[in-house]
Amino acid sequence: MKKCIVLKGDIVWTERPERFEYQENGYLVLEGDKIQGVCSEAPKGEYETYDFSGSLIVPGLTDLHMHAPQHQFAGLYMDEELLEWLEKHTFPYESRFSDIDYALRAYRAFISDLKRSATTRAAVFATIHKDATLLLMKLMEESGLSGFVGKVSMDRNSPHFLAEETDRAITEEESFLSESYHFMNVRPIITPRFVPSCSDALLGELGRMARERNLPVQSHLDENVSEIEWVKELCPWSSSYADAYDHFGLLGPTPTIMAHVVWPGDDEIELLAERGVYVAHSPSSNTNLSSGIAPIRKMMECGIRIGLATDIAGGSTLSMLRIITDAVQVSKIRCRYIDQAEKPLRFSEAFYLASKGGGSFFGRVGSFEPGYDGDILVFDDGAFPSILRSELSVPERLEMLSYRHPDAPLAAKFVKGRRIV
Amino acid sequence: MKKCIVLKGDIVWTERPERFEYQENGYLVLEGDKIQGVCSEAPKGEYETYDFSGSLIVPGLTDLHMHAPQHQFAGLYMDEELLEWLEKHTFPYESRFSDIDYALRAYRAFISDLKRSATTRAAVFATIHKDATLLLMKLMEESGLSGFVGKVSMDRNSPHFLAEETDRAITEEESFLSESYHFMNVRPIITPRFVPSCSDALLGELGRMARERNLPVQSHLDENVSEIEWVKELCPWSSSYADAYDHFGLLGPTPTIMAHVVWPGDDEIELLAERGVYVAHSPSSNTNLSSGIAPIRKMMECGIRIGLATDIAGGSTLSMLRIITDAVQVSKIRCRYIDQAEKPLRFSEAFYLASKGGGSFFGRVGSFEPGYDGDILVFDDGAFPSILRSELSVPERLEMLSYRHPDAPLAAKFVKGRRIV
């Protein structure tokens, strides 16, 4: 018989973007690793009960795009734009992961911080280094977190200390996929860095592997104006940056995440929607690197699937609560200055994107509807006294916590029904 | 003889916007309430020494615009724009301060949070209620913080529960000024809410009081496009919103702070520079309320004095470290989308605005140059482990702390040489 768990507290989640569902003084019921539902009365039967009365109970959040090796310098070098930032800092730091001892220290610190964050699922870029990437997967698996990790592939326009020969890039990726298959909660994902740093030959092989092994794919798309110009030069045969990926089978049919998509053309929006691609919206990173503001409202209306992401270390924080409010904030600036037809995201919409929106890439994740995975966060928002607290609804308390205390410590965290914090 | 104090640690500050000064393992020397200087060797003589080795020692920061009575709901109702937000939430909450018991609870909570923040100086709006405003000043004085507090004046276009008759507004302001004069570190400031809520008669009288009593002034200017249109209707005789204040002697000659200035005309920029007005740049609030992005680079180049501000509760955080990075971030978006000639603020520039820039409104405040007031913050950034820390310069550690841990707790805080945290 499966273990049954009940969490008592103030439960809040989104099933649709427009509004919060909530149950004050409610009971969140799990059977094994799955949500059974939310009730207002204590369920009958044998349950292990966690009493979080007065605390907020919310779904685990999904970080749909981030670079684990960059976590060490998150919050530095923020006076630079993307391509300069890559050359001067990111590539040299990533090259250190050829040293497995360094990788161990860096990834231990990263996983320790990620575990204490609001993220339960993540899609992670590692580096080109196979052994370090397998180590990261091992550490992530041991932490109880769940997600996808990719060994980065790059064989051109990269510094000599961080590029592979094409043939080696292909064989290393093949070995990585074979050696990473034994993990249970952390799965491999095909990870071309981005078109500028992958030759046609490599992109073609990665597309083949994705198709043959039925593996998901993650990469970057339309982040920065200069980058897009560069892709035009590199792939003169393609009709767009998205089309370049599509040409190599890297834009579906297997599940695909494209990070950023700040500057999509209408044809690209159509293609992303058609292919069911997930856009990993990274508002903090796109601001820090002066990339721009992605047209999230427009893409939502065109039926594109969207999740939120920190993009560590273009983004400087692991806090998905902060990313939620960042997403609301940049959408307001976009509406004010770029297109008044693109109404700002409401808080509930941004929360939805960070929970059920991005979570759906991982299955039934990010909601408290029956059958969803037991990914749960508990925040003791009473630790931040407010004289208004007794007047606030549960969703208002979540809004206040997210804006005022995005780094609030977790009182508890469950992934797939298992408590890890 | 004055008491002499030495703080040992990693000292960092800005004297000019372009760059940080710093002294690793240095000694910050105070005589009485003033900075004597920074040295690399322990000074000779009798000193009380605080050993903060390994911690960051930075100047106290100035919050140049905030609404103390709104602190209670900071982080709520962020899905609305300025005028709706005022009507639906801000005005009703502010009306509660007619109840002195409520005011005591709310202002105690506010001062407790402000004391633990990075702010040592603040320019504060209270409400129309004289007694509650005097209470706020008393609590602020007792906390050891320093700043200006204004009883808000408003006699038109305000809900009946939060407006005074013009005559009463004038006599109440007169009594407020007389009764608030005994505080030492917290001084009164003339505070018309903004042109839409103050009649010509009231504005004229407030201008007279500022002039006759040689008092500073604070108000709002050019925050929101609809607000500016409204001022045009209300003051058809004025050539601009700034001109409307100027007409009543509320734009100098006494020191003046105008919050926001998101949409200034060229004539207004010229006028603000000429009058030596301080602009309180509130990036977080201007984003939250969809107001826009102030042209800070342009105003800096035109010689306008600028400080940073939280604008609680348009802004949702008391963290001036967060406001510093917000200022950098919105300036990048402005450069990307609005005017590429307006280069983004660098981190050192935003830090300067939050320390010496806004601090100069209060005298010699916000730097560690000799003769500056002893406003000092200490952060134990080692509490946030980073495997890179030993490789980082002191300014890099400050950047990392500001981006990653803007709510980092203080290890110590001094105002005018007196330790208050």
Side-chain angles (χ1 to χ4, degrees):
Chain A
M1 205 181 100
K2 284 182 187 165
K3 188 174 148 192
C4 291
I5 301 177
V6 171
L7 281 72
K8 183 171 188 294
D10 301 324
I11 305 163
V12 52
W13 71 101
T14 46
E15 298 182 2
R16 293 170 298 166
E18 314 85 70
R19 66 164 217 215
F20 283 103
E21 316 293 326
Y22 63 99
Q23 180 71 53
E24 200 167 354
N25 278 321
Y27 299 84
L28 176 64
V29 184
L30 282 85
E31 192 180 335
D33 57 357
K34 301 287 182 202
I35 303 288
Q36 269 199 332
V38 175
C39 14
S40 57
E41 302 287 331
K44 300 203 187 334
E46 289 284 311
Y47 290 95
E48 184 182 335
T49 301
Y50 293 92
D51 189 350
F52 294 117
S53 294
S55 287
L56 291 170
I57 300 177
V58 302
L61 303 180
T62 287
D63 188 343
L64 207 55
H65 176 66
M66 52 143 51
H67 296 262
Q70 297 172 17
H71 175 60
Q72 52 185 322
F73 64 91
L76 285 180
Y77 322 120
M78 300 273 75
D79 289 339
E80 289 157 22
E81 281 195 35
L82 177 65
L83 299 179
E84 181 190 7
W85 175 84
L86 284 172
E87 293 289 332
K88 276 176 63 181
H89 309 290
T90 306
F91 290 158
Y93 276 121
E94 287 197 9
S95 74
R96 297 191 186 187
F97 286 78
S98 63
D99 172 355
I100 199 76
D101 294 328
Y102 181 81
L104 180 63
R105 286 200 300 139
Y107 283 150
R108 261 199 192 137
F110 165 72
I111 289 292
S112 160
D113 283 356
L114 190 64
K115 191 170 169 174
R116 286 180 289 114
S117 79
T119 298
T120 57
R121 309 284 174 129
V124 183
F125 278 54
T127 61
I128 59 167
H129 311 96
K130 187 193 73 175
D131 293 343
T133 305
L134 290 166
L135 173 63
L136 172 60
M137 293 180 84
K138 178 170 169 286
L139 294 170
M140 190 163 168
E141 175 98 349
E142 288 168 0
S143 74
L145 295 165
S146 185
F148 292 99
V149 173
K151 176 201 161 305
V152 172
S153 297
M154 50 199 289
D155 70 341
R156 69 170 171 184
N157 294 318
S158 308
H160 65 92
F161 52 81
L162 195 71
E164 301 167 295
E165 297 294 317
T166 307
D167 288 349
R168 188 167 162 81
I170 294 163
T171 55
E172 284 288 286
E173 180 67 14
E174 296 273 16
S175 337
F176 166 69
L177 295 176
S178 304
E179 293 174 46
S180 61
Y181 239 83
H182 62 94
F183 296 110
M184 299 297 297
N185 291 315
V186 181
R187 313 293 302 158
I189 183 167
I190 302 277
T191 306
R193 183 164 209 124
F194 65 159
V195 167
S197 56
C198 297
S199 67
D200 290 5
L202 180 55
L203 289 171
E205 283 300 302
L206 293 172
R208 178 188 59 74
M209 290 182 224
R211 196 171 58 249
E212 288 179 6
R213 296 177 182 245
N214 193 28
L215 284 172
V217 174
Q218 61 181 354
S219 197
H220 299 90
L221 177 64
D222 291 339
E223 180 173 3
N224 172 294
V225 175
S226 319
E227 170 209 13
I228 296 170
E229 287 304 310
W230 196 11
V231 172
K232 263 190 202 154
E233 288 165 29
L234 291 166
C235 306
W237 46 265
S238 69
S239 64
S240 69
Y241 194 165
D243 176 60
Y245 286 117
D246 197 43
H247 176 80
F248 295 110
L250 290 164
L251 207 70
T254 61
T256 299
I257 299 168
M258 285 288 153
H260 309 305
V261 197
V262 176
W263 302 94
D266 286 345
D267 53 332
E268 288 181 296
I269 290 181
E270 206 174 304
L271 184 60
L272 294 171
E274 218 176 275
R275 294 282 188 271
V277 169
Y278 280 74
V279 167
H281 177 40
S282 313
S284 181
S285 169
N286 296 335
T287 303
N288 283 334
L289 296 174
S290 289
S291 303
I293 303 173
I296 295 304
R297 171 70 64 199
K298 185 173 173 188
M299 291 197 279
M300 280 168 76
E301 285 171 355
C302 294
I304 293 179
R305 294 166 172 174
I306 295 164
L308 299 189
T310 62
D311 187 30
I312 289 287
S316 50
T317 175
L318 279 173
S319 165
M320 286 300 297
L321 293 182
R322 167 77 188 264
I323 297 298
I324 288 169
T325 63
D326 283 349
V328 172
Q329 290 181 326
V330 299
S331 76
K332 289 175 177 174
I333 299 179
R334 192 170 167 95
C335 175
R336 171 63 65 209
Y337 285 109
I338 301 163
D339 186 351
Q340 292 190 24
E342 293 180 33
K343 280 201 302 186
L345 294 182
R346 298 182 68 82
F347 177 65
S348 68
E349 293 177 310
F351 186 86
Y352 174 90
L353 296 181
S355 52
K356 190 173 173 179
S360 64
F361 189 80
F362 298 80
R364 292 171 67 80
V365 170
S367 179
F368 289 154
E369 294 157 74
Y372 270 68
D373 282 1
D375 281 28
I376 306 162
L377 310 173
V378 183
F379 293 103
D380 174 16
D381 64 323
F384 307 102
S386 154
I387 64 166
L388 280 189
R389 190 157 177 273
S390 60
E391 299 175 31
L392 301 182
S393 71
V394 178
E396 284 173 340
R397 282 166 47 201
L398 179 60
E399 184 182 10
M400 185 179 259
L401 182 81
S402 303
Y403 275 96
R404 282 170 82 148
H405 308 290
D407 293 310
L410 292 165
K413 181 175 189 174
F414 295 75
V415 183
K416 300 186 182 180
R418 181 184 151 216
R419 185 168 183 176
I420 68 165
V421 171
Chain B
M1 206 181 100
K2 285 181 184 164
K3 189 173 147 191
C4 292
I5 301 176
V6 170
L7 280 73
K8 182 172 190 292
D10 300 325
I11 305 164
V12 52
W13 71 101
T14 46
E15 298 182 2
R16 292 170 299 166
E18 312 86 70
R19 67 165 218 215
F20 283 103
E21 315 294 327
Y22 64 99
Q23 179 72 54
E24 201 167 354
N25 279 319
Y27 299 83
L28 176 63
V29 184
L30 282 86
E31 192 180 333
D33 57 357
K34 302 288 182 200
I35 304 287
Q36 269 199 331
V38 175
C39 14
S40 57
E41 302 288 330
K44 301 203 185 336
E46 288 286 310
Y47 290 94
E48 185 181 334
T49 301
Y50 293 93
D51 189 351
F52 294 117
S53 293
S55 287
L56 291 171
I57 299 178
V58 301
L61 302 181
T62 287
D63 188 344
L64 208 53
H65 176 66
M66 50 142 53
H67 297 261
Q70 297 173 17
H71 176 59
Q72 52 186 322
F73 64 89
L76 286 180
Y77 321 121
M78 300 273 75
D79 288 341
E80 289 157 23
E81 280 195 35
L82 176 66
L83 299 179
E84 181 190 6
W85 175 83
L86 283 172
E87 293 289 333
K88 277 176 60 181
H89 309 291
T90 307
F91 290 157
Y93 275 122
E94 287 197 9
S95 75
R96 296 190 187 189
F97 287 77
S98 62
D99 173 354
I100 198 77
D101 293 329
Y102 180 82
L104 179 63
R105 285 201 301 139
Y107 283 150
R108 260 197 193 138
F110 165 71
I111 289 292
S112 159
D113 284 355
L114 189 63
K115 191 170 168 174
R116 285 182 289 113
S117 79
T119 298
T120 56
R121 309 284 173 131
V124 184
F125 278 55
T127 61
I128 59 166
H129 311 96
K130 187 192 71 175
D131 292 344
T133 306
L134 290 167
L135 173 63
L136 172 59
M137 293 180 84
K138 177 171 170 285
L139 294 170
M140 192 164 168
E141 176 99 348
E142 287 168 0
S143 74
L145 295 165
S146 185
F148 291 100
V149 173
K151 175 202 162 304
V152 172
S153 296
M154 50 198 291
D155 70 340
R156 70 170 172 186
N157 295 319
S158 308
H160 65 91
F161 52 81
L162 196 71
E164 302 167 292
E165 296 295 317
T166 307
D167 289 348
R168 190 169 159 78
I170 295 163
T171 55
E172 284 288 286
E173 180 67 14
E174 296 272 17
S175 334
F176 166 69
L177 296 176
S178 305
E179 292 173 47
S180 61
Y181 239 82
H182 62 94
F183 295 111
M184 299 297 298
N185 292 316
V186 182
R187 314 293 302 156
I189 183 167
I190 302 278
T191 306
R193 184 164 210 125
F194 65 159
V195 167
S197 56
C198 296
S199 66
D200 289 5
L202 180 54
L203 290 171
E205 284 298 302
L206 294 173
R208 178 187 59 75
M209 289 183 224
R211 197 172 56 249
E212 289 179 3
R213 297 177 181 244
N214 193 28
L215 284 171
V217 173
Q218 61 181 353
S219 196
H220 299 90
L221 177 65
D222 291 338
E223 179 171 6
N224 172 295
V225 174
S226 319
E227 171 209 12
I228 295 170
E229 287 303 310
W230 196 12
V231 171
K232 264 191 201 151
E233 286 166 30
L234 291 167
C235 306
W237 47 265
S238 69
S239 63
S240 69
Y241 194 165
D243 176 60
Y245 286 116
D246 197 43
H247 176 81
F248 295 110
L250 290 163
L251 207 70
T254 62
T256 299
I257 299 168
M258 285 289 154
H260 307 306
V261 196
V262 176
W263 303 94
D266 287 344
D267 52 333
E268 288 181 296
I269 289 181
E270 207 175 304
L271 184 59
L272 294 172
E274 218 176 275
R275 293 283 188 272
V277 169
Y278 280 74
V279 166
H281 176 41
S282 312
S284 182
S285 169
N286 296 336
T287 303
N288 283 335
L289 295 173
S290 288
S291 303
I293 303 173
I296 295 304
R297 171 69 64 199
K298 186 173 172 188
M299 291 197 280
M300 278 168 78
E301 285 171 354
C302 294
I304 293 179
R305 295 165 171 174
I306 295 165
L308 300 189
T310 62
D311 189 29
I312 290 289
S316 48
T317 174
L318 279 174
S319 165
M320 286 299 299
L321 293 182
R322 168 77 188 266
I323 297 298
I324 288 169
T325 61
D326 284 348
V328 172
Q329 290 180 325
V330 298
S331 76
K332 290 174 176 174
I333 300 179
R334 189 167 170 96
C335 175
R336 173 62 65 207
Y337 284 110
I338 301 164
D339 186 351
Q340 292 191 23
E342 294 182 31
K343 280 202 303 187
L345 293 181
R346 298 181 67 83
F347 178 65
S348 67
E349 293 177 310
F351 186 86
Y352 174 89
L353 296 181
S355 51
K356 191 173 171 180
S360 64
F361 189 80
F362 298 80
R364 292 172 67 81
V365 170
S367 179
F368 289 154
E369 293 157 76
Y372 269 69
D373 282 359
D375 282 29
I376 306 161
L377 310 172
V378 183
F379 293 102
D380 174 16
D381 64 322
F384 308 103
S386 154
I387 64 165
L388 280 190
R389 189 155 178 276
S390 60
E391 299 176 31
L392 301 182
S393 71
V394 179
E396 284 173 342
R397 283 166 49 200
L398 179 60
E399 183 182 11
M400 185 179 258
L401 182 80
S402 303
Y403 275 97
R404 282 169 83 147
H405 308 289
D407 294 310
L410 292 165
K413 181 176 189 173
F414 295 74
V415 183
K416 299 186 182 180
R418 183 182 149 216
R419 185 168 183 175
I420 69 167
V421 171

